[in-house]
Amino acid sequence: RPQPLHTPGSLPVVPPTPLISVNPAQEPELVRSFMYHGGKKKTHVISVGGPLGVHYSYDLNQAGLLQVWKGEFLDATEMWYERGEPQVAASMGATILLPGKAPLAILGDDKASLPDTLNDRTELLYKGYTFNEQRYPKFSYLYKNISFEDTFVPLTTGQGTARTINISGIPSGTKLLVRMGEGNTITEVSENVYAIDQQYYVQFSPSGKSKPVIRSSGNKKELVFEVSSPSATIRY
């Protein structure tokens, strides 16, 4: 077999690739990038880092929460070192991986499955984002002529993030479901608190007598809330 005839010391030392990280200071940091999720490369991802150390990544094409984590924010080395060809960012903490699916679904009947993916040109249209008072983004969408806004704000305890979905323009007679969680197992461990695969919890903030239900879809369980009014605000 071919053998090198030089000594290792005769070669120039290859400098190690530096770590280029992003960390929020006094206000949130927003970074657009590609990102791997479930083995697939997502192309329209925004990662939002909070000064409290609670961060998340969000798929703008699907209005889907991809992952959440605590600690340091984002490794942008593959984006910003030299030519940055992969354009991929990665979290710098241990992530909780989430389904990354659209939060709303219109069903024709109770037994129908919630869609895994929505067409980002005909079904779900991204309308941009604005900032709230804390400079966290509020994402706006149009889903089959139904408008909704999606906001994530870290809890002051640093133990999670609060999601608020404001929905308006729901046609009369439409069965609209809000998908709040998905997993192999979903268990209500206390009033309005649900454990998803024993990995994370969803705590629902009720605004009336209605509460989420656990439904089966294939070999998965889904935690959903049905909206029966022309407009609604869902918090969990």
Side-chain angles (χ1 to χ4, degrees), residues 117-126 142-145:
T117 306
L118 295 178
N119 188 303
D120 59 4
R121 288 185 170 86
T122 60
E123 294 181 297
L124 183 67
L125 301 180
Y126 172 54
L142 190 65
Y143 169 55
K144 295 183 177 180
N145 296 321

Side-chain angles (χ1 to χ4, degrees), residues 89-143:
S91 69
M92 292 186 65
T95 59
I96 295 176
L97 199 65
L98 300 168
K101 298 177 181 179
L104 303 188
I106 296 175
L107 296 186
D109 62 78
D110 292 336
K111 296 182 180 179
S113 299
L114 300 184
D116 281 343
T117 306
L118 295 178
N119 188 303
D120 59 4
R121 288 185 170 86
T122 60
E123 294 181 297
L124 183 67
L125 301 180
Y126 172 54
K127 308 296 285 186
Y129 63 82
T130 57
F131 291 110
N132 66 6
E133 297 81 3
Q134 301 164 285
R135 205 179 171 273
Y136 284 101
K138 178 188 296 183
F139 305 102
S140 298
Y141 288 89
L142 190 65
Y143 169 55

Side-chain angles (χ1 to χ4, degrees), residues 8-207:
S10 65
L11 295 175
V13 177
V14 178
T17 302
L19 171 65
I20 302 176
S21 62
V22 181
N23 280 295
Q26 301 300 317
E27 59 184 23
E29 287 281 354
L30 283 69
V31 178
R32 294 284 300 270
S33 72
F34 296 166
M35 182 170 282
Y36 286 108
H37 176 263
K40 296 181 178 179
K41 193 175 186 179
K42 298 285 186 177
T43 58
H44 293 71
V45 176
I46 187 168
S47 295
V48 181
L52 293 176
V54 178
H55 323 297
Y56 69 90
S57 296
Y58 185 80
D59 184 354
L60 293 170
N61 273 351
Q62 294 296 310
L65 189 60
L66 298 173
Q67 59 185 12
V68 293
W69 71 98
K70 294 173 64 176
E72 293 188 88
F73 179 37
L74 205 66
D75 179 357
T77 307
E78 295 290 341
M79 295 171 56
W80 295 339
Y81 180 67
E82 293 185 344
R83 297 187 65 178
E85 183 274 329
Q87 291 296 301
V88 175
S91 69
M92 292 186 65
T95 59
I96 295 176
L97 199 65
L98 300 168
K101 298 177 181 179
L104 303 188
I106 296 175
L107 296 186
D109 62 78
D110 292 336
K111 296 182 180 179
S113 299
L114 300 184
D116 281 343
T117 306
L118 295 178
N119 188 303
D120 59 4
R121 288 185 170 86
T122 60
E123 294 181 297
L124 183 67
L125 301 180
Y126 172 54
K127 308 296 285 186
Y129 63 82
T130 57
F131 291 110
N132 66 6
E133 297 81 3
Q134 301 164 285
R135 205 179 171 273
Y136 284 101
K138 178 188 296 183
F139 305 102
S140 298
Y141 288 89
L142 190 65
Y143 169 55
K144 295 183 177 180
N145 296 321
I146 297 173
S147 298
F148 73 93
E149 296 176 330
D150 202 4
T151 311
F152 301 85
V153 177
L155 303 178
T156 56
T157 60
Q159 297 301 308
T161 186
R163 185 178 198 173
T164 302
I165 304 176
N166 290 303
I167 312 169
S168 61
I170 304 173
S172 177
T174 299
K175 186 179 181 63
L176 180 70
L177 295 183
V178 178
R179 175 166 30 200
M180 302 167 57
E182 179 185 286
N184 295 315
T185 61
I186 301 178
T187 307
E188 186 173 10
V189 294
S190 63
E191 184 69 19
N192 290 314
V193 178
Y194 303 83
I196 314 293
D197 288 340
Q198 300 299 317
Q199 294 182 353
Y200 66 96
Y201 297 93
V202 170
Q203 181 174 7
F204 178 66
S205 300
S207 58

